[in-house]
């Protein structure tokens, strides 16, 4: 009674702190024992869970700050995106923006995209039936979103609207380990880079384990991505299942951990087993089933297991040690496999050419170096609006071919004729730099909505820019790229408009992207 009286007489601030402590105590109990009442969460537990969700988003900037200082790259706080934002970023989830393997059996698809602030992103769109429980999806996504590390392709946010479930992560522009290891075109991956991949992957797994996320679903060569400077990163997408109750492994059963075949459950030891299969991939340059590889190792026929492209690049001792580490990871009994911390310790002594940047070892061009610009690129970089105008006028509408073919059926109706007349008036005004008239005529054409033309948006964008309306110009340039995702002119115009808005870093990113798109288009 005395205790109650004292508590009752305390200040509101103390009472608040006591309430927080109580809430924390019950939350700890719920986390440890999964207390449920009558098949439903108690109201107190539910309250605590809501607090935890809100707190997880608020905690991310602190976590991010520590790693950003060390890693030298800033990441935004984990956040929620709207479906419309991600739809616009991926040009309406365009097929041209798909970066993952896909098909009828694929549980989800990953798209590349670009936000309004020019940040490039990867968007994983789940099958509509994958996460029926929105609360569970949010809990999982927010938990993964708290992770921030330079060895991960970090999760930036999520979308949970209606039956749509999407994850947003950093975009890694230099393909997957599978591409560089199994399907290389210019040069095979060097030994020094292969063991660097192994170490960075082990460090990523150690970080996740230390942060309470030891489980990784379907770890394979497609989950290892290379960033803009050629460093390997572990995709954060694999830290979540493909669905609430879905299988954790989509690869051939010959590569799955033996205990998973028995129980259907993933454990931290299962992740180590998959890490062992990746070490075999790195050593052999092929995707060899573990049973076959272990037979070769037992027969001491390691030469048959080693990629012939690596001849002379490493010592016998180093090769033997990598095989030993892989063998330990592939032990049948889970408890006999090493944890990520031990893997990191074992792989550090094997590192070679540590002073050589990853992009050099990989043969990837330095992303910070801007390749020679075309006349349009030069004009946009120095904000020469007259030169940009001349180039757009000269190009005409040749890049619009095919964008309005489905509308040919209406071509000669009266409405269509009026629409075409609006475009013609806009073109005449654009040619003579009668900017207000050009904007008005092109707006009439666009507002009718019967035909779609990226060139009209590009011309109206420049008209806005020349009229000192950079924000409107940027919107039009972005819309041109939504219609035609791989169009370099849209990216060049975005660069010019961003520079006019004083957003120099974003302008440079767009300029580089435009240059890459133009090189692909012209073959140079």
């Amino acid at each position: 009674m005395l205790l109650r009286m004292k508590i009752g007489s305390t200040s509101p601030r103390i009472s608040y702190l006591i309430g927080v402590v109580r809430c924390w105590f019950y939350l700890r109990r719920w986390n440890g024992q999964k207390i449920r009442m009558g098949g439903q969460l108690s109201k107190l537990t539910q309250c605590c869970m809501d607090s935890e969700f809100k707190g997880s988003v608020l905690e991310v900037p602190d976590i991010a700050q520590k790693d950003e200082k060390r890693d030298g790259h800033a990441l935004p706080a984990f956040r929620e995106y709207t479906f419309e934002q991600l739809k616009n970023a991926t040009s309406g989830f365009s097929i041209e923006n798909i970066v993952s393997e896909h098909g009828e059996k694929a549980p989800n698809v990953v798209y590349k995209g670009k936000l309004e602030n020019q940040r490039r992103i990867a968007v994983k769109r789940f099958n509509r039936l994958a996460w029926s429980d929105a609360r569970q999806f949010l809990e999982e996504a927010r938990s993964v979103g708290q992770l921030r590390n330079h060895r991960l392709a970090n999760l930036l946010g999520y979308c949970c609207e209606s039956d749509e479930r999407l994850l947003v992560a950093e975009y890694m522009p230099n393909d997957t380990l599978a591409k560089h290891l199994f399907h290389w075109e210019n040069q095979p991956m060097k030994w020094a880079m292969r063991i660097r991949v192994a170490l960075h992957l082990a460090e990523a797994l150690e970080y996740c384990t230390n942060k309470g996320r030891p489980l990784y679903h379907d770890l394979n060569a497609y989950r290892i991505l290379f960033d803009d400077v050629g460093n390997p990163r572990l995709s954060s997408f694999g830290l979540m299942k493909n669905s609430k109750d879905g299988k954790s492994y989509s690869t051939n059963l010959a590569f799955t951990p033996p205990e998973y075949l028995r129980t259907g459950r993933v454990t931290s030891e299962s992740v180590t087993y998959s890490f062992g299969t990746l070490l075999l991939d790195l050593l052999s340059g092929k995707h060899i089933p573990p049973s076959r590889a272990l037979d070769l190792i037992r027969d001491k026929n390691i030469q048959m297991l080693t990629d012939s492209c690596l001849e002379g690049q490493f010592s016998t001792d180093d090769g033997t040690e990598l095989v030993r580490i892989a063998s330990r990871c592939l032990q049948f009994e889970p408890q006999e496999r090493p944890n990520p911390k031990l893997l990191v310790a074992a792989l550090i002594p094997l590192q070679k050419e540590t002073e050589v940047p990853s992009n050099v070892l990989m043969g990837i061009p330095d992303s910070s170096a801007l390749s020679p610009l075309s006349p349009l690129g030069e004009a946009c970089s120095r904000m020469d609006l007259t030169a940009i105008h001349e180039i757009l006028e000269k190009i005409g509408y040749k890049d619009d071919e095919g964008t309005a073919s489905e509308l040919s059926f209406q071509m000669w109706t009266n409405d269509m004729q009026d629409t075409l007349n609006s475009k013609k008036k806009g073109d005449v005004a654009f040619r003579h730099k009668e900017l207000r008239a050009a904007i008005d005529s092109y707006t009439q054409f666009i507002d009718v909505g019967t035909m779609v033309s990226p060139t009209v948006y590009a011309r109206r964008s420049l008209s806005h820019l020349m009229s000192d309306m950079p924000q409107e110009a940027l919107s039009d340039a972005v819309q041109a790229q939504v219609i035609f995702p791989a169009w370099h002119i849209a990216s060049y115009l975005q660069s010019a408009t961003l520079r006019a808005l004083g957003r120099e870093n974003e302008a440079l990113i767009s300029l580089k992207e435009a240059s890459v798109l133009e090189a692909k288009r012209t073959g140079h």
Side-chain angles (χ1 to χ4, degrees), residues 121-137:
I121 56 173
V123 180
K124 181 175 183 176
R125 189 181 188 185
F126 288 92
N127 181 295
R128 287 175 179 263
L129 301 176
W131 291 93
S132 56
D133 187 338
R135 188 175 182 82
Q136 186 176 11
F137 174 78

Side-chain angles (χ1 to χ4, degrees), residues 236-380:
S236 57
F237 290 151
L239 292 165
M240 281 181 65
K241 289 183 180 180
N242 284 332
S243 65
K244 175 184 175 183
D245 301 311
K247 293 181 178 179
S248 294
Y249 285 86
S250 59
T251 51
N252 190 305
L253 293 180
F255 296 89
T256 56
E259 67 275 10
Y260 179 79
L261 297 177
R262 296 195 302 269
T263 67
R265 291 180 61 250
V266 174
T267 65
S268 56
E269 291 82 9
S270 306
V271 181
T272 299
Y273 186 93
S274 296
F275 183 86
T277 67
L278 272 167
L279 291 183
L280 295 178
D281 292 347
L282 291 166
L283 183 64
S284 66
K286 297 184 285 289
H287 201 37
I288 299 176
S291 58
R292 169 64 177 152
L294 289 171
D295 286 341
L296 292 172
I297 293 169
R298 286 190 204 97
D299 295 339
K300 298 184 179 180
N301 199 351
I302 297 176
Q303 190 172 358
M304 286 285 292
L305 190 60
T306 306
D307 191 341
S308 59
C309 297
L310 296 174
E311 188 173 352
Q313 293 187 29
F314 62 93
S315 67
T316 301
D317 288 346
D318 285 354
T320 301
E321 179 61 11
L322 191 66
V323 168
R324 187 189 70 82
I325 298 170
S327 299
R328 289 193 62 197
C329 293
L330 296 171
Q331 291 295 307
F332 185 84
E333 295 299 333
Q335 64 271 19
E336 295 180 6
R337 301 170 196 157
N339 60 38
K341 184 176 182 179
L342 292 173
L343 290 171
V344 170
L347 288 164
I348 287 175
L350 297 180
Q351 301 305 302
K352 306 294 180 185
E353 301 185 55
T354 53
E355 73 288 350
V356 181
S358 293
N359 70 290
V360 174
L361 288 176
M362 295 282 290
I364 295 173
D366 184 357
S367 63
S368 63
L370 194 62
S371 54
L373 294 171
S374 66
L376 179 57
E378 285 284 357
C380 289

